[in-house]
Amino acid sequence: MKKTEKLLVLGFLTHYYLALVAGTADNSNVSEIPDPSTVSDYNKEVAENQLSAQIFGLIEHFHQADPIGLPGAPVPDPFSVPDVKKSVGIGTLTLQNTLAYGMSKFRLKYIKTDLNKLTVKAGIQLDQMNVRGNYTLSSLFSKTQGPFTIVLRNVFVKGNASLAVERDGKIRTKDIQMDISFGNMAVDFQNLGFFAGIFQSIINSAPTLVFDAIKPLLLSEAYVQISQEIDSSIETVSGDHRFPNSISPLDMAISDARKKVRALGYDPYKVKDYNHTVGLFEMKMTNTWITGVSSFYRVGEITVGVNNLTISIGMQIGTQKVLGASQWEVSFGGGMITRSGNIQFTIDHIKAMFEVSQSLDMRKRPEIIDLQLELGNIQVRCDGAGTLDYITEFLVNILPNLLRYQIMDALENPAKLRIQQMMNKIDVEKIIKEKVVEYEKNGMNMSMSMNFDFKF
């Protein structure tokens, strides 16, 4: 897993606000600091150990039926709001020492991510948020002051964020937009005295008057903190790596994946020998090689989202021309009649669109939601069967191209079933925990050799 791949993983975690988790380190329990010459290595080790603890905490957190908040997330609670001054008709209202409570008790409602454009849309919900502080209401002839409380219920926070590669080759937060809405609100300003009735009538006629004054400052503070945490987390993962702005990090990751497929020996790919017997008829396919499987590329957008505590990943990929060759042998009557030869085939392209999902409760197995396949023109060349070569080539070249869509429709459901059977064997929680332990032992050095053997 190279820098670009790690960055995309980080971006995905950022979309759960996990990037905020990765951006903080609590060193309050550290009793000894090593020699200054090893401080960097020491800090890296502390960060790695803390990250593993946070990941284990998150796994356990989402075992709950109704998980609230995120363990260890640096969401300030209470959240400090700068002083506000606003004209309210009867005078000037000043809000001071304002704190918002309940920000950490959120439910994750949805996340929609475009990994190519590096954008994310997210929504979280709070059952209740309390805003408390002190007020001063000044008019031409009098002045009153005291504590105030605003109770917001069914609060919904939605935000859009985007990242971009800057001139120095580093990826940083480009833009963040947020908005807050709520179901209902209760306002309590104490010690209003003479202004009580007048102020209450103003609140009744403009119920969001006070909240609208606080909202811009509340959001501006959130923008700063979220941007700093995301940028800090990206800096930690990417290190000194620089990205070109001519190609997206996602496409760089796909390019790295193509190289890794070849490095692992999957292109050309040797297919397992095939031997099938029906009565007196026997067919063997041996020494079968397929070339071109590493020529895959992104056809459409790659999206990652969360809804109803379930992660969904949608992807469209395609390959360039795929070549294949095999040696075949057909026998009848226990070898009394035998024919053998070679077969070569080409497929102009293969395209696949699929969507998979995984519950945030990692004890559950991943599921395939949708699978659509498309084959390009198929050309086959066969020799060794004598006059049957022409019949074989006609059947394989003409019929599949005439019936391509029907063939794909017939293949998709069995393919989905087979893929789901393989997914049912994947213990996601176990794999994550094993890889985290491996990361603790080897740190960043393991990233280049991180492989997954699902033992299908």
Side-chain angles (χ1 to χ4, degrees), residues 163-308:
L163 305 176
V165 179
E166 297 190 348
R167 291 186 176 182
D168 61 357
K170 305 294 285 185
I171 294 182
R172 296 187 180 91
T173 307
K174 179 182 178 182
D175 183 42
I176 294 180
Q177 298 177 354
M178 296 177 64
D179 193 20
I180 301 177
S181 59
F182 56 88
N184 57 73
M185 178 179 70
V187 179
D188 179 22
F189 281 75
Q190 299 182 21
N191 304 329
L192 279 170
F194 171 77
F195 292 106
I198 302 175
F199 189 75
Q200 190 61 48
S201 65
I202 294 175
I203 292 298
N204 291 337
S205 62
T208 64
L209 177 69
V210 179
F211 178 72
D212 286 345
I214 298 174
K215 179 177 170 180
L217 295 171
L218 181 66
L219 293 178
S220 65
E221 289 295 305
Y223 294 157
V224 173
Q225 293 200 29
I226 292 174
S227 297
Q228 290 176 346
E229 294 291 351
I230 293 176
D231 290 345
S232 174
S233 299
I234 293 175
E235 182 73 23
T236 299
V237 171
S238 61
D240 296 330
H241 191 76
R242 296 293 185 270
F243 297 89
N245 52 23
S246 59
I247 181 174
S248 73
L250 174 61
D251 290 328
M252 285 189 64
I254 293 174
S255 176
D256 288 341
R258 287 196 291 263
K259 296 176 183 176
K260 189 161 188 177
V261 167
R262 290 191 290 269
L264 292 173
Y266 294 133
D267 192 6
Y269 180 74
K270 189 176 190 305
V271 180
K272 189 186 238 183
D273 291 346
Y274 175 83
N275 190 346
H276 186 66
T277 303
V278 178
L280 298 176
F281 177 83
E282 183 180 10
M283 180 175 182
K284 296 179 181 180
M285 300 285 290
T286 59
N287 199 29
T288 302
W289 290 86
I290 297 177
T291 304
V293 294
S294 66
S295 66
F296 58 87
Y297 60 96
R298 178 176 58 85
V299 176
E301 305 300 338
I302 296 179
T303 59
V304 179
V306 176
N307 197 19
N308 296 325

Side-chain angles (χ1 to χ4, degrees), residues 52-236:
S52 65
Q54 290 167 345
I55 291 175
F56 288 153
L58 285 169
I59 290 175
E60 295 299 323
H61 176 71
F62 285 109
H63 284 177
Q64 304 175 73
D66 183 23
I68 297 177
L70 285 175
V75 178
D77 197 353
F79 188 90
S80 179
V81 182
D83 293 348
V84 177
K85 183 178 286 188
K86 184 175 181 65
S87 175
V88 292
I90 59 175
T92 301
L93 177 66
T94 303
L95 304 180
Q96 299 171 311
N97 305 321
T98 305
L99 297 173
Y101 296 82
M103 299 285 283
S104 63
K105 300 184 183 303
F106 61 86
R107 288 184 177 88
L108 184 62
K109 301 305 291 183
Y110 71 84
I111 295 172
K112 299 177 182 178
T113 304
D114 186 329
L115 292 182
N116 182 45
K117 297 177 181 177
L118 292 179
T119 60
V120 59
K121 298 179 180 179
I124 62 173
Q125 184 176 9
L126 309 171
D127 290 338
Q128 181 171 302
M129 183 170 71
N130 297 332
V131 182
R132 300 171 188 167
N134 299 314
Y135 79 92
T136 300
L137 182 58
S138 304
S139 68
L140 184 61
F141 302 106
S142 62
K143 177 180 179 181
T144 184
Q145 58 187 17
F148 76 91
T149 301
I150 301 174
V151 180
L152 304 170
R153 296 183 178 87
N154 296 323
V155 180
F156 195 83
V157 183
K158 60 182 180 179
N160 302 333
S162 63
L163 305 176
V165 179
E166 297 190 348
R167 291 186 176 182
D168 61 357
K170 305 294 285 185
I171 294 182
R172 296 187 180 91
T173 307
K174 179 182 178 182
D175 183 42
I176 294 180
Q177 298 177 354
M178 296 177 64
D179 193 20
I180 301 177
S181 59
F182 56 88
N184 57 73
M185 178 179 70
V187 179
D188 179 22
F189 281 75
Q190 299 182 21
N191 304 329
L192 279 170
F194 171 77
F195 292 106
I198 302 175
F199 189 75
Q200 190 61 48
S201 65
I202 294 175
I203 292 298
N204 291 337
S205 62
T208 64
L209 177 69
V210 179
F211 178 72
D212 286 345
I214 298 174
K215 179 177 170 180
L217 295 171
L218 181 66
L219 293 178
S220 65
E221 289 295 305
Y223 294 157
V224 173
Q225 293 200 29
I226 292 174
S227 297
Q228 290 176 346
E229 294 291 351
I230 293 176
D231 290 345
S232 174
S233 299
I234 293 175
E235 182 73 23
T236 299

Side-chain angles (χ1 to χ4, degrees), residues 59 62-64 309 358-364 429:
I59 290 175
F62 285 109
H63 284 177
Q64 304 175 73
L309 299 178
Q358 168 64 52
S359 171
L360 290 178
D361 183 349
M362 298 296 175
R363 294 172 298 182
K364 299 179 180 179
E429 182 170 320

